[in-house]
Amino acid sequence: MRFPAENPAMEEKLDFAAYFAGGLLDPHREIPECVSDPRGKSAERRYNIYRNNVIVSLIDALAAIFPATQRITGPEFFRAMARFHIRATPPSSPLLFEYGHDFPAFIERYEYARDMPWLADVARLERAWLDAYHAADEPPLAKEALSQVPPELLGCLRFRRHPAARLVCSNYPVVDIFNANRSDAAVGKIAAATAQSALITRPAFDVELRGLPKDAEVFLSRLLEGGSLEVAAASAFEVSSEFDLASTISMMIEAGVFTATFPGEVQHGY
Amino acid sequence: MQASKRTVGSDVLRFPDYPVQGLAGTSFKPEHLPAILAEGSRHGFFEVHAENYMGAGGAPHLALSRIRQDYPVSLHGVCMSIGGPRPLDRDHLARFKGVVDRYEPALVSEHLAWSTHDTTYFNDLLPLPYNRSTLELVASHIDQVQETIGRKILLENPSSYLVFEESTMPETEFIRQISERTGCGLLLDVNNVFVSAANIGSSAMEYLADYPLNLVEEIHLAGHSEQETEEGELLLIDSHDGPVSDAVWKLFEIVIARSGPIATLIEWDSAVPDWPILHREAIAAQAILDRGQHIEMPHGDAYAISR
Ligand SMILES: [Fe+2]
């Protein structure tokens, strides 16, 4: 099989794409000389159709991934912000459902969004939601899995993360804001002072979202890092002496955070 | 992220080998799934964009598996960048093969266009000049795709808004030679023919007369929108956001009268209506296809290839 593009002599004649691509995301760039209007007029108007298709379709792609973020800011604000981001960080993969992982960090730096400090966390949660939506299918840990473990081995038990499971930590009530803005219903009052972390899972085909208090977040963080039940529980009790271990464990099993348990040391490549 | 051949229950998917020839179908939109299953006609086919099924798992695969049990599916790639000068993205090609293997589609197609250059994916079908260099380029890319997936693809004609100074042959000639060199089949987008002719100031009828209809295994019909320039010039945009226009229906009838029935898809990708409205467009196309079965082919017509 031959690849003409790998032959330098052929590359010379195939530079149309470099010229054509140059101005697609740069409205100030001159239009490429290699194209023309069939009626002999300036091809600018026609080239601009491609420019417009590219930027509008990519803005639409971000709006589809971040609907709550758009609802909070309003479409005009969102589209202006998205346009800046796309020009700075256009997609590098043709899989658009994987685009926008850098968008929350961009929002954090975006000067017009400074008076909405929770906005980046909402975007982080939306991005994690879509990752969970497309994650690999795996059955979560069975409900009775822990009751079969001998009590003396429970403390050193470790867990294998489900492909969809994610934690998004926030100093704002990010789950409440997300829920209020992912439907068309009117947004009620949300107390801005409550810190909330989001647990995202997908035990079957529907993505599930739970708000966690700080102690439960620390507990799950430890387990997701590969720490033992004992270590995770100790960390959670350090955060709050009122940490409810039993109900947090049954919540994490029901949510489908893990797919399997294994004893002892962290087993790499498990 | 190689697509897995297994479902949650870990049984290998094996789908019925439904024929697609002579049927009218529509783009598959997951929001239509309940209405499609409730109606349960099991007539026609559905086309999906391959890229939407390149995630590892989840609801998209569940929905498409359900559809594929009852219907033939056409797999339409929109971003292989076959017309671009850079080598094909091998990861993307592997993912594409994964979707073909998983869903055993009745038809597999891609575009005569490019969408990635260097490290940027532009999410649009971008044009290329038609000359000997690009002919060799596109042919080698199609060879590579067909060798990888182990089957023939159909190449779709683009919608054009401008022309390249470096073009040395008409699009119809370019497409004919590509097919001769690679053995690929063709996907004739009649709306694109109409849109390009209006924008370039050429004749859609002449295009169809020069086009190798005998190689067509699928037809696309879609809606377009109009845009007026400052000088009052009308440009047509291939927007896929509304019903098929009367002029495109007319061209479709002419094609079918010449070629006989061919699998025909109604493409509707934005401002997607409720299922009954989309389905009605497919029913209209099916009526023309069924009539095409009975049309007498004029003797000596080079295009009256029996299918
Ligand atoms: Fe098409």
Side-chain angles (χ1 to χ4, degrees):
Chain A
M1 199 180 300
R2 278 145 54 251
F3 299 102
E6 284 161 6
N7 170 350
M10 189 64 81
E11 186 97 12
E12 289 275 317
K13 297 176 202 155
L14 291 173
D15 49 10
F16 67 91
Y19 288 117
F20 199 91
L24 284 173
L25 284 168
D26 181 355
H28 305 297
R29 182 90 68 104
E30 294 273 311
I31 68 159
E33 279 179 18
C34 56
V35 296
S36 59
D37 177 313
R39 296 184 181 90
K41 296 177 192 153
S42 158
E44 186 164 2
R45 187 78 207 176
R46 286 148 182 273
Y47 184 72
N48 284 346
I49 291 174
Y50 293 101
R51 272 182 168 146
N52 188 59
N53 281 350
V54 169
I55 195 76
V56 169
S57 75
L58 291 176
I59 292 173
D60 287 347
L62 286 179
I65 298 168
F66 302 98
T69 309
Q70 174 170 242
R71 190 163 184 230
I72 291 166
T73 63
E76 211 174 310
F77 183 105
F78 182 89
R79 296 183 81 83
M81 179 166 72
R83 184 177 288 113
F84 279 118
H85 178 62
I86 291 160
R87 288 192 173 137
T89 316
S92 55
S93 160
L95 301 188
L96 281 184
F97 61 80
E98 291 186 346
Y99 187 42
H101 279 102
D102 301 324
F103 194 44
F106 176 86
I107 294 174
E108 220 154 46
R109 298 190 308 268
Y110 189 61
E111 59 172 312
Y112 304 103
R114 269 188 203 142
D115 54 351
M116 292 176 276
W118 56 85
L119 196 63
D121 284 350
V122 175
R124 259 180 211 109
L125 176 47
E126 294 201 276
R127 189 49 264 184
W129 190 98
L130 194 63
D131 287 332
Y133 180 81
H134 286 289
D137 303 324
E138 261 190 70
L141 197 58
K143 294 224 176 349
E144 58 285 357
L146 289 197
S147 57
Q148 291 160 352
V149 178
E152 66 274 17
L153 295 181
L154 265 178
C156 57
L157 205 62
R158 295 162 201 273
F159 295 81
R160 187 173 161 226
R161 172 204 286 260
H162 187 281
R166 274 148 182 82
L167 263 181
V168 172
C169 305
S170 178
N171 292 321
Y172 303 95
V174 67
V175 175
D176 295 344
I177 301 173
F178 176 97
N179 285 332
N181 287 285
R182 290 276 280 212
S183 74
D184 292 332
V187 181
K189 237 186 160 54
I190 296 167
T194 358
Q196 226 177 21
S197 290
L199 172 65
I200 303 126
T201 57
R202 212 197 73 216
F205 290 101
D206 293 326
V207 178
E208 295 183 7
L209 184 57
R210 289 170 171 80
L212 300 182
K214 192 73 191 165
D215 50 10
E217 174 217 309
V218 167
F219 177 72
L220 283 183
S221 292
R222 290 286 170 280
L223 290 184
L224 286 167
E225 289 158 14
S228 69
L229 207 50
E230 201 168 47
V231 167
S235 304
F237 280 116
E238 256 170 56
V239 172
S240 161
S241 56
E242 276 151 44
F243 173 59
D244 188 342
L245 179 61
S247 73
T248 304
I249 287 177
S250 66
M251 177 277 290
M252 83 185 194
I253 302 258
E254 188 185 293
V257 185
F258 303 103
T259 58
T261 62
F262 53 99
E265 297 299 311
V266 180
Q267 296 183 350
H268 292 288
Y270 184 87
Chain B
M1 191 185 44
Q2 183 81 29
S4 158
K5 245 194 151 174
R6 288 166 184 279
T7 61
V8 180
S10 92
D11 283 324
V12 173
L13 293 172
R14 280 282 144 222
F15 294 111
D17 186 18
Y18 297 118
V20 73
Q21 211 230 308
L23 294 181
T26 68
S27 307
F28 173 58
K29 302 294 162 189
E31 63 265 34
H32 291 157
L33 181 62
I36 293 166
L37 295 180
E39 184 193 74
S41 78
R42 300 183 63 166
H43 188 264
F45 73 100
F46 289 97
E47 183 160 288
V48 295
H49 289 178
E51 294 68 25
N52 292 341
Y53 299 88
M54 290 182 180
H61 289 293
L62 181 71
L64 184 55
S65 301
R66 182 65 194 84
I67 278 294
R68 183 63 186 83
Q69 284 167 24
D70 289 356
Y71 295 90
V73 160
S74 164
L75 191 70
H76 191 46
V78 294
C79 49
M80 190 65 77
S81 235
I82 277 173
R86 295 287 187 265
L88 297 184
D89 176 345
R90 283 170 189 273
D91 291 342
H92 190 70
L93 197 48
R95 290 190 294 252
F96 193 74
K97 174 175 165 45
V99 182
V100 171
D101 289 349
R102 184 168 181 169
Y103 291 104
E104 302 166 344
L107 302 166
V108 179
S109 53
E110 250 291 350
H111 293 87
L112 179 55
W114 55 283
S115 49
T116 296
H117 190 67
D118 291 341
T119 57
T120 303
Y121 170 63
F122 291 101
N123 196 34
D124 193 19
L125 297 167
L126 300 165
L128 58 146
Y130 302 132
N131 55 42
R132 294 178 68 87
S133 305
T134 55
L135 186 74
E136 190 154 330
L137 169 81
V138 172
S140 78
H141 284 166
I142 291 178
D143 284 342
Q144 192 185 359
V145 174
Q146 295 187 141
E147 274 170 38
T148 304
I149 67 170
R151 58 184 284 181
K152 163 163 90 168
I153 65 165
L154 311 180
L155 186 66
E156 175 172 359
N157 56 300
S159 53
S160 302
Y161 304 97
L162 42 70
V163 292
F164 280 86
E165 322 241 306
E166 301 149 20
S167 283
T168 56
M169 64 178 95
E171 185 173 289
T172 47
E173 181 58 25
F174 189 85
I175 288 175
R176 181 199 306 273
Q177 288 197 31
I178 289 287
S179 177
E180 271 166 17
R181 291 175 65 145
T182 64
C184 76
L186 300 180
L187 192 176
L188 172 61
D189 188 316
V190 178
N191 183 59
N192 286 355
V193 170
F194 183 76
V195 163
S196 297
N199 290 339
I200 304 299
S202 58
S203 153
M205 289 301 290
E206 267 170 40
Y207 186 100
L208 291 175
D210 293 341
Y211 186 90
L213 277 186
N214 56 318
L215 301 171
V216 176
E217 293 180 36
E218 185 184 350
I219 288 175
H220 273 178
L221 302 175
H224 57 254
S225 54
E226 297 179 352
Q227 199 183 84
E228 207 176 276
T229 69
E230 289 121 356
E231 298 114 29
E233 188 187 17
L234 199 65
L235 290 176
L236 301 185
I237 312 290
D238 172 35
S239 49
H240 296 188
D241 60 354
V244 177
S245 73
D246 291 346
V248 170
W249 281 122
K250 193 75 218 151
L251 286 176
F252 174 57
E253 286 197 72
I254 291 168
V255 168
I256 295 305
R258 280 193 196 158
S259 66
I262 296 175
T264 298
L265 182 89
I266 307 292
E267 280 188 296
W268 200 323
D269 295 316
S270 61
V272 176
D274 288 344
W275 168 244
I277 295 172
L278 181 55
H279 194 201
R280 223 173 290 151
E281 294 277 292
I283 291 168
Q286 189 66 61
I288 292 171
L289 290 171
D290 293 346
R291 232 182 298 146
Q293 220 123 33
H294 309 296
I295 286 176
E296 292 280 314
M297 299 287 177
H299 290 290
D301 183 344
Y303 299 105
I305 307 291
S306 61
R307 300 184 56 87

